[in-house]
Amino acid sequence: AAEESRLAEEQRLRDEQAAEEARLAEEQRLRDEQVAEEARLAEEQRLRDEQVAEEARLAEEQRLRDEQAAEEARLAEEARLAEEQRIRDEQAKALEEEARIQEQQEAAEREAEEEEERLAEEQRLQEEEDARLLKNSNATDALATSFSKIQNQANDSSILQEKLIVNLNRSVDSKQETLDELKKENDLRDQGIVSAPKTFKSTAGQNARLEDYKNRLDNVIVSQDQKIAQLEELYKKRLKKVRNKKDADNVIFKENIEKLKRNQQIAIASRDDLNSKLEGIKIATEVERNRRIKRADYDNDDERYAKDRARLENIKSSTPIASTPLTKEDFNFGERYSNTIHILKNIKNVKNGYYLILAVHTDAQERDDFLRKAIASGQSNINFFYNVSTSKYYIYYQKFNDAAAAQDAMTKSGRKPYNTKRVLFKVEN
């Protein structure tokens, strides 16, 4: 009985120990569960904190992009206003310069008129002197009378020749001045000094007047040659009648003929020189006008390229990833092309190679809409170029140097919605 009691006591103690161990194990399990729950809650809090931090980061990035866009817009507006002011200043200077040139031209015209009056007065005095000498020589025969009449006509023609040469010379100077201004403008633009292009007046009226001066001068020169020939014939007849070459009338006749010949030679030389200058100015002006047209086209291309690059960077920096995935129905792919390789030539600012074109648009807004959606779908490497001959924008993000690599990429276009209508183009410059 004592042994049984002892064994029973030992069993009781073992049972109590087992119960205690079970209780302790349960307490440990509960503590482990509590620790696990605390860890889970801490992880959840950490994830929430990370989400809040990420949202704050994205918000800050968006704020910075908004500030950058606002700053770019402000700078662009300032640049636009500054450019407008610069153009207004250039135009004001151009108007001042035109006024100065006009004043100089008017002064030159007044000087020319005064010179014509002076020449006319000298001619009148010379005619009076010739008439006085002729009167004093008592030459009243028919030859002297005819000679005097033709000589007066020839003198009038000389005055008209001088006047036409002055007008023609003034027209040549005006054309030379226009050429010089055009060349100066082109030279400055080649040096990067850009000013508002000077508006050159229509030359139709000026050219018509110039041709009128030339035709009238040619006609007067021909008429003057005929008068001089008539005077020489009269002089020969006079010598047959009065053989003495030292006769007062014969001397006057001879001197007047020589004077008319000298004036005629001067007029012909002046005419030929002015015609030569006009031809040179005409050729040089055509060269400079072509320079101006080519430079304008070049500047327009460069300006478009700079604006396109700035627009692309702005779209990239301001377009977030879409919260809801886009589908191919969301994309406007523009003009459609066959699956053959298409050739583009002479594309400025674009390297030779094979381009996987995603879309082709003629409208810049449609181009920008496609770019935004491609970026929102995760394609940050999107790009495009412009073809001036077709006036179209070609959007891409992959370029290859050989056709095999490009064709291989075409077969692995993937499932991205912006890739569904890709076409292969080859650029050859």
Side-chain angles (χ1 to χ4, degrees):
E3 181 64 18
E4 288 176 355
S5 177
R6 185 185 63 78
L7 293 173
E9 180 65 19
E10 287 180 356
Q11 184 62 43
R12 184 185 66 78
L13 290 174
R14 283 195 295 273
D15 291 341
E16 286 182 356
Q17 183 178 1
E20 179 66 15
E21 289 175 352
R23 184 186 65 78
L24 292 174
E26 179 66 16
E27 287 181 354
Q28 184 62 41
R29 185 185 66 77
L30 292 174
R31 282 195 297 273
D32 291 342
E33 286 183 354
Q34 182 178 1
V35 170
E37 178 66 13
E38 289 175 353
R40 185 185 66 78
L41 294 174
E43 180 64 14
E44 289 182 353
Q45 184 62 43
R46 185 186 66 78
L47 292 175
R48 284 195 295 273
D49 292 343
E50 286 184 354
Q51 182 178 1
V52 170
E54 179 65 11
E55 291 174 352
R57 185 185 66 79
L58 293 175
E60 178 64 14
E61 288 182 355
Q62 185 61 44
R63 184 187 66 79
L64 292 175
R65 284 195 294 269
D66 292 342
E67 287 183 355
Q68 182 179 1
E71 179 66 12
E72 289 175 354
R74 184 185 67 79
L75 293 174
E77 180 65 13
E78 288 182 355
R80 184 184 67 80
L81 294 175
E83 180 66 10
E84 289 180 354
Q85 184 61 44
R86 185 185 65 77
I87 291 175
R88 284 194 295 270
D89 293 342
E90 291 288 344
Q91 289 174 341
K93 289 180 181 178
L95 290 174
E96 292 178 359
E97 182 66 12
E98 287 180 2
R100 183 186 66 79
I101 292 172
Q102 182 65 28
E103 185 177 346
Q104 289 179 346
Q105 289 178 343
E106 291 175 355
E109 289 176 0
R110 288 194 299 270
E111 291 178 0
E113 290 175 358
E114 292 173 358
E115 180 65 13
E116 289 175 14
E117 292 176 357
R118 186 186 66 78
L119 292 173
E121 180 63 17
E122 288 183 356
Q123 186 65 34
R124 186 186 64 80
L125 294 174
Q126 183 63 45
E127 289 174 0
E128 290 180 355
E129 179 64 17
D130 292 344
R132 184 184 64 80
L133 293 174
L134 191 60
K135 182 178 180 180
N136 292 338
S137 67
N138 296 319
T140 58
D141 54 87
L143 287 176
T145 302
S146 297
F147 190 98
S148 180
K149 181 179 179 180
I150 296 174
Q151 180 187 321
N152 290 336
Q153 294 173 353
N155 290 336
D156 291 339
S157 294
S158 291
I159 295 174
L160 181 57
Q161 279 183 163
E162 292 173 357
K163 182 177 181 180
L164 290 171
I165 289 172
V166 169
N167 290 336
L168 186 59
N169 194 68
R170 190 179 302 145
S171 297
V172 172
D173 289 343
S174 178
K175 280 190 166 291
Q176 182 65 52
E177 188 173 286
T178 300
L179 170 61
D180 292 342
E181 290 177 354
L182 184 57
K183 186 176 186 306
K184 179 181 178 182
E185 178 186 308
N186 288 335
D187 291 343
L188 289 175
R189 290 181 76 87
D190 287 344
Q191 297 170 23
I193 305 173
V194 182
S195 60
K198 184 177 178 59
T199 302
F200 295 97
K201 299 177 182 178
S202 172
T203 59
Q206 184 187 46
N207 290 337
R209 289 193 301 273
L210 192 147
E211 288 301 318
D212 178 62
Y213 294 150
K214 289 171 62 177
N215 292 334
R216 289 170 61 190
L217 181 58
D218 289 341
N219 292 335
V220 171
I221 287 175
V222 171
S223 176
Q224 189 75 331
D225 282 338
Q226 294 172 351
K227 292 183 178 67
I228 291 174
Q230 290 175 341
L231 290 174
E232 288 183 320
E233 185 63 26
L234 290 174
Y235 177 64
K236 290 178 182 178
K237 291 180 179 179
R238 173 74 183 183
L239 285 179
K240 290 179 181 179
K241 184 177 180 180
V242 181
R243 296 182 179 277
N244 184 8
K245 291 186 178 182
K246 294 184 178 181
D247 174 76
D249 293 329
N250 288 340
V251 171
I252 293 174
F253 292 168
K254 180 66 173 176
E255 289 178 352
N256 287 340
I257 290 173
E258 293 301 324
K259 180 180 178 182
L260 289 172
K261 282 184 175 181
R262 288 193 299 272
N263 291 340
Q264 185 74 339
Q265 289 174 351
I266 293 172
I268 292 173
S270 298
R271 180 197 62 183
D272 294 344
D273 181 60
L274 290 172
N275 285 338
S276 177
K277 286 182 179 178
L278 279 173
E279 187 62 25
I281 291 172
K282 180 181 178 181
I283 295 172
T285 299
E286 185 65 23
V287 170
E288 294 302 327
R289 287 190 184 278
N290 288 335
R291 278 182 69 194
R292 182 177 181 180
I293 292 171
K294 290 180 180 178
R295 170 56 68 177
D297 291 340
Y298 183 85
D299 289 345
N300 289 340
D301 285 347
D302 282 353
E303 183 179 355
R304 180 191 295 109
Y305 179 76
K307 288 181 178 178
D308 285 348
R309 294 300 93 192
R311 184 62 179 161
L312 177 62
E313 292 305 316
N314 182 265
I315 291 174
K316 285 184 175 181
S317 63
S318 62
T319 303
I321 299 297
S323 57
T324 303
L326 299 175
T327 66
K328 66 178 182 180
E329 286 74 21
D330 294 315
F331 287 83
N332 175 11
F333 295 92
E335 189 168 342
R336 303 308 310 134
Y337 290 87
S338 64
N339 289 327
T340 59
I341 298 178
H342 303 271
I343 308 296
L344 295 175
K345 293 182 178 292
N346 301 321
I347 309 298
K348 190 175 181 182
N349 299 311
V350 178
K351 294 181 179 180
N352 289 347
Y354 295 85
Y355 291 79
L356 269 59
I357 301 299
L358 309 180
V360 179
H361 287 291
T362 56
D363 184 82
Q365 292 184 351
E366 293 179 353
R367 173 204 69 191
D368 292 350
D369 181 67
F370 190 97
L371 292 171
R372 291 191 188 92
K373 290 178 179 178
I375 294 170
S377 298
Q379 184 48 258
S380 60
N381 195 37
I382 200 77
N383 205 338
F384 68 89
F385 59 80
Y386 181 77
N387 183 2
V388 67
S389 63
T390 62
S391 300
K392 295 175 183 177
Y393 297 96
Y394 297 78
I395 301 174
Y396 72 97
Y397 70 90
Q398 287 180 296
K399 170 193 173 292
F400 302 90
N401 292 328
D402 60 88
Q407 292 283 13
D408 183 61
M410 282 286 292
T411 63
K412 302 175 182 178
S413 59
R415 298 181 180 178
K416 294 295 183 180
Y418 48 81
N419 276 337
T420 55
K421 302 288 180 69
R422 294 201 299 183
V423 182
L424 190 59
F425 278 78
K426 182 184 180 183
V427 173
E428 294 180 352
N429 292 327

